[in-house]
Amino acid sequence: MIQSPTGAATTASLSRLLLRQTPPYLLPSLSPHSAAPFNHSHPRRLLRCSLSHSSSSNRNVAMNVVSDRNVSHEPGSKQALISLSDKKNLDFVGNGLQELGYTIVSTGGTASALESAGVAVTKVEQLTQFPEMLDGRVKTLHPNIHGGILARRDQKHHIEALNTHGIGTFDVVVVNLYPFYDKVTSAGGVEFEDGIENIDIGGPAMIRAAAKNHKDVLVVVDSEDYPDLLEFLKGNQNDDKFRLKLAWKAFQHVASYDSAVSEWLWKQSVGDKFPPSLSVPLLLKSSLRYGENPHQKAAFYVDKRLSEVNAGGIATSIQHHGKEMSYNNYLDADAAWNCVCEFRNPTCVVVKHTNPCGVASRDDILEAYRLAVKADPVSAFGGIVAFNVEVDEVLAKEIREFRSPADGETRMFYEIVVAPSYTEKGLEILRGKSKTLRILEAKKNEPGKLSLRQVGGGWLAQDSDDLTPNDIQFSVVSEKAPQESELRDAEFAWLCVKHVKSNAIVIAKDNCMLGMGSGQPNRVESLRIAVRKAGGAIKGAALASDAFFPFAWKDAVEEACQHEIGVIAEPGGSIRDKDAIDCCNKYGVSLLFTNVRHFRH
């Protein structure tokens, strides 16, 4: 026990004892703006307890010394807590709150930045009577902070508890979190320990506490909300909807943050693509005019999973020109872009209602464009045109001026042009084609993505269909083997058919789609549509089917052979495969089995 000092030197002895017992980091807390500690094991608390048996006068001296630092928040005064990793517009909100009469409490680097901006700051450790410790892991996790955030002003016993312990209330909490997302997705990667240290603990705790108590505390996690916050406070408003919106945003902010941490830890520990539970953080990119139909409301969200960072796709494309994208525009542009990116050689793809109606690859991209449109000019009109090469001045002029092969007069109209890049002159020319033409610049989708699709009450998840002709074996099962050119045609047709809605048939020759049949309930009807579109060019062409033929004789296989198809590529696997082989042998057609199905629903 500390012995009670006696005699004339009582006050001086107590002061020296108090200073000896007080660590240096606590000395600034003697400021009258500080709040009392809640730590009952603190040396000063021990001092006050140890003097309980001393004389009355000595007790009064000791209690007066302690009470100098036990000043509670003044009634009617206002206090804001600011702790930011992203310090964008910090000076704006800090000065704004100070001008409105708020005492600013802050931490570490945020406090230093505020002071540099001319804002008077009370540091968190002055309230907690405890230093930042464990390399910054513990700063704000303290009753003097969380008590001031969580206390309900309409609960008398809450206020009494604060007064008992000398804790002031917080009216505004402005917090954002360690840059975990940016760290773990940085180009050079991140060491596991560095990733762990960037998991914020104190920040989410303060945000959640303030959001829970939003009736009394305004919580802000987004710098875009600083102006609205200050305007709200200037008006002395009490808009519950504004408070509730900020609280929602705060919880959503933390939820997305936790989702990223969860995704990263799962990948580090197990790595399986299908975890027991899955969170998909989505960020609103735009509100759409309507959905698939005018009576349906719609919006477009960007997938913010870590796996989607720098992974390409239409969602992150840049729109250089044209009307705002619609719901159907996004679907069609995605289909066109996914298809054209499959091809190595310069390629043009034309899509209508998510189906490629024209595909052509040529060394000369102008020729590829013309052939892709020619495959089905009626469908191409009003469609989406995609290229896997840069659109320059020459190609842009061709897109702008090209006339429909159907009549040689009508200038082709498109909803969207999408490409990996544009020259400055190419963009200028395309902008002149139409005020409404949407011009998108996109990055190729990375392989290996997780594909998600919603059904009523749930989601289906699967690997993306990334297989190309180089990944599979085209096995000859017929008596006649295809020529090298026929094999190349079969590979081209097979690559096209994977992007056509089932039941799907594609007929192609010389790296050009001649005709396709899609979305029919039976394969025979899809074949007949494709044959009709291919016309007289069908002789010697390649035919690809997305799935096996259940029947051959007097069915799709025999009809294809009768139209003088040169080679057929299909997965095989039917109980009647032998019928298909025998039929092709009868007509002298090459038959290839791929052992890979390409259903697309």
Side-chain angles (χ1 to χ4, degrees), residues 44 55-56 107 122 147 158 181 220 231 274-275 284 342 355 380 403 408 473 475 480 504 506 508 531 548 600-601:
R44 293 187 183 183
S55 66
S56 174
T107 60
T122 299
H158 281 204
Y181 191 95
V220 180
E231 285 301 313
F274 305 103
L284 180 66
E342 293 269 27
N355 278 303
R403 308 292 166 158
Q473 181 69 40
S475 301
K480 181 184 177 183
V506 165
V531 167
F548 64 65
R600 179 175 290 267
H601 288 83

Side-chain angles (χ1 to χ4, degrees), residues 149-150 173 203-221 243-252 254:
I149 297 173
L150 282 165
V173 171
M206 288 188 289
I207 291 171
R208 290 173 61 87
K212 177 175 181 177
N213 201 27
H214 63 271
K215 286 186 177 181
D216 297 312
V217 183
L218 288 161
V219 57
V220 180
V221 296
R243 290 177 174 275
L244 192 60
K245 180 181 178 181
L246 290 179
W248 162 81
K249 197 168 189 177
F251 277 116
Q252 184 60 49
V254 174

Side-chain angles (χ1 to χ4, degrees), residues 28-270:
S29 68
L30 294 175
S31 163
H33 298 294
S34 302
F38 192 66
N39 186 348
H40 291 290
S41 64
H42 192 278
R44 293 187 183 183
R45 293 281 183 176
L46 288 174
L47 173 63
R48 187 167 63 179
C49 295
S50 68
L51 296 177
S52 61
H53 299 295
S54 66
S55 66
S56 174
S57 61
N58 289 341
R59 282 200 305 273
N60 289 336
V61 172
M63 290 299 290
N64 286 336
V65 173
V66 173
S67 67
D68 283 345
R69 48 169 288 288
N70 203 24
V71 177
S72 62
H73 201 47
E74 291 295 329
S77 62
K78 299 175 293 186
Q79 198 165 220
L81 175 61
I82 306 179
S83 180
L84 302 173
S85 288
D86 179 0
K87 297 176 177 60
K88 180 182 178 182
N89 294 330
L90 171 60
D91 56 341
F92 172 77
V93 72
N95 281 295
L97 288 169
Q98 182 171 259
E99 290 170 4
L100 290 171
Y102 283 82
T103 298
I104 308 299
V105 177
S106 190
T107 60
T110 306
S112 299
L114 284 167
E115 288 173 335
S116 297
V119 179
V121 177
T122 299
K123 295 185 178 179
V124 162
E125 51 264 39
Q126 292 175 247
L127 299 191
T128 63
Q129 302 299 309
F130 216 86
E132 178 181 318
M133 63 182 296
L134 305 181
D135 299 318
R137 286 189 170 200
V138 178
K139 286 183 282 192
T140 57
L141 297 171
H142 193 282
N144 283 4
I145 302 300
H146 285 270
I149 297 173
L150 282 165
R152 291 181 56 178
R153 314 309 196 256
D154 61 350
Q155 295 294 319
K156 182 179 178 181
H157 63 287
H158 281 204
I159 303 304
E160 289 174 347
L162 293 187
N163 290 337
T164 298
H165 300 292
I167 300 173
T169 57
F170 288 102
D171 307 286
V172 177
V173 171
V174 182
V175 176
N176 57 43
L177 306 177
Y178 292 168
F180 176 84
Y181 191 95
D182 294 335
K183 279 285 185 180
V184 299
T185 58
S186 58
V190 64
E191 294 293 331
F192 180 78
E193 287 302 322
D194 192 19
I196 290 295
E197 288 308 312
N198 275 277
I199 299 175
D200 205 325
I201 302 300
M206 288 188 289
I207 291 171
R208 290 173 61 87
K212 177 175 181 177
N213 201 27
H214 63 271
K215 286 186 177 181
D216 297 312
V217 183
L218 288 161
V219 57
V220 180
V221 296
D222 184 354
S223 60
E224 295 296 320
D225 292 324
Y226 293 167
D228 290 341
L229 169 70
L230 296 178
E231 285 301 313
F232 180 85
L233 294 173
K234 286 176 184 177
N236 293 315
Q237 303 173 53
N238 191 21
D239 185 348
D240 289 340
K241 288 186 178 180
F242 180 72
R243 290 177 174 275
L244 192 60
K245 180 181 178 181
L246 290 179
W248 162 81
K249 197 168 189 177
F251 277 116
Q252 184 60 49
H253 182 67
V254 174
S256 296
Y257 189 88
D258 287 343
S259 176
V261 174
S262 172
E263 181 184 354
W264 182 73
L265 286 174
W266 175 259
K267 185 177 180 180
Q268 300 297 316
S269 59
V270 181

